[in-house]
Amino acid sequence: MNKKIIVVITILVMVMSVTAYLNRLRIKDKVTFIENAEISIKVEGGEDNKLDFPWIQGLGEEVFHANLKRSGKEPEEQEYKGVLLKKVFDSKSISLEGKKQLVIRSIDGYTVALTVEEVLEENNVYIVYERNGSPLGTKEDGGSGPYQIIIRNDPFSQRWAKFVVEIEAQ
Ligand SMILES: Nc1nc2c(c(=O)[nH]1)N[C@H]1C(S)=C(S)[C@@H](COP(=O)(O)O)O[C@H]1N2
Ligand SMILES: [Mo]
C-alpha cells in the first residue's frame, strides 16, 4: 500500500519536471524567435537594411490604444506597443523626403501602400510587436506578427498589415 503511493508520487514528480523543462524550452524558443525577428527596409532600387528586434525596440517604445476592426466583428479597443514607423527609417538615415509612398510587404503576399505624408504625421503610423501586453505571435500560431502596422487615424483595418517582412520607400 505505502509502496504504491510512493511509486505514484514518484511518477507524478517526474511528469511535472519533464513538463516544466519542456515549457522552459518553449519560452526560450519564443524569446529567441522574437529577438531574431527581422524586418527589412529599403529605398526602391537600393540595398536591404535588415533590422532585428532589439534595434527596433531601442527606437523609443510607445504604448497606445487603437480600435481593431476584425473582419465580421465590431471594433474593439486594444493596447499596442511599438515604435513610430518613421523612426525606423530615421534610424538608418533613410530620408523620406521626395518619396511618395511606403510599400509594406507581408509573409502571406499581402501588400499595402502608405503615403509618406501620413507616415510623417505625429502619432499615426506605428510598427508594433505587442498587443495587450503579449507578443503578437506569428501567422502559424494564429497571431498577427511578429510585426504589424497600426495606423491610428485609419478606422478601417485593411491596411493594418500583419506579418510584415519588408518596407520599401518609393
Ligand atoms: N498580412 C496580412 N495583413 C492583413 C490582412 C491579410 O490578409 N494579410 N487582412 C487585412 C484585413 S482586410 C483586416 S480587416 C485586418 C484584420 O484581419 P483579420 O480579421 O483577418 O485578422 O487585417 C488586415 N491585414
Ligand atoms: Mo478586412
Side-chain angles (χ1 to χ4, degrees), residues 40-134:
S40 167
I41 65 167
K42 63 174 174 183
V43 174
E44 193 174 23
E47 62 187 60
D48 261 16
N49 295 269
K50 289 208 163 66
L51 311 181
D52 61 11
F53 180 62
W55 179 279
I56 291 166
Q57 199 180 26
L59 300 179
E61 293 186 305
E62 288 179 51
V63 174
F64 60 89
H65 292 87
N67 285 309
L68 169 67
K69 175 79 185 76
R70 285 197 189 87
S71 4
K73 293 199 180 145
E74 288 302 307
E76 269 178 52
E77 192 175 89
Q78 313 284 331
E79 184 186 277
Y80 289 105
K81 191 192 268 185
V83 304
L84 268 176
L85 180 55
K86 62 180 171 190
K87 285 189 181 169
V88 174
F89 279 82
D90 287 348
S91 78
K92 282 287 171 183
S93 306
I94 298 177
S95 168
L96 296 180
E97 218 167 285
K99 299 285 179 289
K100 290 193 187 65
Q101 60 176 5
L102 294 189
V103 174
I104 318 284
R105 299 195 177 93
S106 300
I107 200 105
D108 58 348
Y110 200 73
T111 304
V112 303
L114 312 178
T115 66
V116 164
E117 200 179 9
E118 66 189 329
V119 170
L120 295 179
E121 276 169 23
E122 293 302 316
N123 313 320
N124 190 20
V125 181
Y126 288 81
I127 182 134
V128 313
Y129 38 83
E130 272 186 29
R131 181 170 72 94
N132 303 329
S134 305

Side-chain angles (χ1 to χ4, degrees), residues 30 33-34 53 68 78-82 126-150 160-164:
K30 225 181 195 155
F33 177 75
I34 180 103
F53 180 62
L68 169 67
Q78 313 284 331
E79 184 186 277
Y80 289 105
K81 191 192 268 185
Y126 288 81
I127 182 134
V128 313
Y129 38 83
E130 272 186 29
R131 181 170 72 94
N132 303 329
S134 305
L136 295 179
T138 61
K139 190 173 187 305
E140 290 74 34
D141 62 25
S144 66
Y147 301 110
Q148 180 173 16
I149 294 290
I150 300 292
W160 293 21
K162 306 182 277 189
F163 334 120
V164 175

